[in-house]
Amino acid sequence: MQSITWTGRIISRALWNGINNYSSCESNAGLQKKREPNILSVVSGFPKELSKSKVKKGQFGDDAWFSAKVKSADVLGVADGVGGWRQYGIDPGEFSSNLMRTCERLVNSGRFIRSQPSSLLARSYNELLENKQSILGSSTACLLVLNRDNRTLYTANIGDSGFVIVRHGQVIHRSEEQQHYFNTPYQLSLPPPDHSRSVLSDSPESANTTNLIVEDGDVILLATDGVFDNVPDQMLVGELARAQGVRDPAKLQLVANSIALMARKIAFDENFISPFSQSAKSYGISVTGGKPDDITVLLATVML
């Protein structure tokens, strides 16, 4: 009986996420009537500790996300707060959420360059640095910008969040992880003054950047490592192929929910051979099962 209750809570949370994001999806679909390049996007996810987490807009535990649509571009972003700060009494979700909210504000005010998501990330980070009441912590981050004028997707990724683009059931591009060493990704940091020399802190300019021209029906997954550490590529691509050419936000939401639920299930499976456990083995570390973590899925399809 207990397991049934747990499953019910998981599904209810996924459905709530979908309903919460549905209005923006519906608006995206309406713009398609103008025959402009556009993306339809939805979000789903779970905090690692469901029973202790409060529902917050733009957050799943220490993960944060945003989606923004302006006249010339669609912008998506995720950030994953580094959980180690909790032992110092610092909420890891504060830094990641403030980083994404600042990015969203800059996009909505037009203060960004459509071909340079790395500069958007740097500007957001520098604003937090200059804040007199700095938000402390560290975070990975990944930003995607679709420039509607030239149908080009520009990306910037620092750390082990990332993205996958699938076309006709095949991966045409996947971001690369940036790791200092096992399970220690590149990260943007705002440490307390007395920790400044002992905390990893990478420059936003060190983010990997790419650009590629998109086609009608392309599927874009932007996610935190709670997805990539748990779901094997073959399973992930199989789910993403179901979203090929989808223009109905409700159907796209079902796929996003399915990916988030899959990642959540594997994360707590002690016997599953996950990408995280395979990576650990390559470093000579004996780890089995999935990796319990916050999970964020931003799923989009291109409509041209």
Side-chain angles (χ1 to χ4, degrees), residues 6-300:
W6 180 86
T7 303
R9 289 172 59 196
I10 293 286
I11 294 174
S12 296
R13 183 65 63 91
L15 292 175
W16 187 93
N17 293 335
I19 293 170
N20 188 46
N21 196 55
Y22 190 82
S23 59
S24 62
C25 297
E26 196 170 40
S27 174
N28 291 352
L31 289 174
Q32 176 63 16
K33 296 177 182 179
K34 299 180 181 180
R35 298 183 181 278
E36 295 177 348
N38 191 22
I39 65 172
L40 171 68
S41 66
V42 297
V43 65
S44 188
F46 304 103
K48 179 170 65 176
E49 299 184 28
L50 272 178
S51 61
K52 298 181 181 179
S53 297
K54 296 180 180 179
V55 176
K56 296 181 181 178
K57 185 179 186 301
Q59 275 189 266
F60 297 110
D62 300 336
D63 287 358
W65 62 272
F66 81 95
S67 62
K69 181 177 291 292
V70 293
K71 184 177 181 181
S72 57
D74 295 279
V75 187
L76 304 174
V78 295
D80 182 0
V82 176
W85 284 105
R86 193 167 278 109
Q87 64 182 309
Y88 299 100
I90 295 171
D91 180 357
E94 283 295 306
F95 180 69
S96 57
S97 61
N98 275 276
L99 183 68
M100 291 294 96
R101 282 200 296 266
T102 304
C103 283
E104 183 176 16
R105 176 173 52 78
L106 292 172
V107 170
N108 288 330
S109 63
R111 297 161 60 195
F112 78 109
I113 301 172
R114 290 176 291 170
S115 60
Q116 297 180 17
S118 59
S119 67
L120 171 61
L121 185 60
R123 187 166 189 171
S124 177
Y125 175 61
N126 288 330
E127 279 202 17
L128 295 184
L129 278 176
E130 295 165 3
N131 193 326
K132 293 181 179 179
Q133 295 180 334
S134 295
I135 302 298
L136 303 177
S138 306
S139 177
T140 65
C142 187
L143 299 180
L144 307 182
V145 180
L146 174 64
N147 182 336
R148 297 201 205 106
D149 290 341
N150 61 9
R151 299 182 179 183
T152 300
L153 186 72
Y154 297 91
T155 76
N157 183 56
I158 184 164
D160 57 3
S161 292
F163 66 94
V164 177
I165 301 174
V166 171
R167 180 179 297 161
H168 304 305
Q170 301 294 321
V171 175
I172 63 167
H173 191 86
R174 177 170 183 161
S175 60
E176 295 183 3
E177 287 187 355
Q178 293 178 309
Q179 297 264 12
H180 288 286
Y181 41 88
F182 176 66
N183 204 29
T184 306
Y186 281 36
Q187 54 201 263
L188 303 177
S189 299
L190 289 178
D194 55 343
H195 286 74
S196 59
R197 293 185 179 181
S198 60
V199 172
L200 287 173
S201 184
D202 299 289
S203 165
E205 285 74 25
S206 65
N208 285 335
T209 60
T210 58
N211 66 83
L212 68 156
I213 296 175
V214 295
E215 295 183 4
D216 184 56
D218 282 354
V219 182
I220 303 169
L221 169 68
L222 176 60
T224 54
D225 66 328
V227 174
F228 298 118
D229 279 345
N230 287 302
V231 184
D233 286 354
Q234 185 176 1
M235 295 173 66
L236 192 58
V237 173
E239 287 298 305
L240 293 175
R242 295 173 50 211
Q244 173 74 39
V246 170
R247 295 170 183 263
D248 181 345
K251 291 181 179 179
L252 191 63
Q253 187 68 58
L254 288 175
V255 179
N257 289 351
S258 178
I259 293 171
L261 284 163
M262 184 185 300
R264 174 77 185 186
K265 181 179 179 180
I266 294 173
F268 291 91
D269 187 333
E270 297 179 354
N271 299 310
F272 192 89
I273 302 175
S274 66
F276 180 77
S277 63
Q278 290 179 315
S279 178
K281 187 176 294 185
S282 70
Y283 282 87
I285 302 171
S286 179
V287 174
T288 58
K291 178 190 175 187
D293 204 351
D294 302 311
I295 293 164
T296 297
V297 173
L298 275 168
L299 185 62

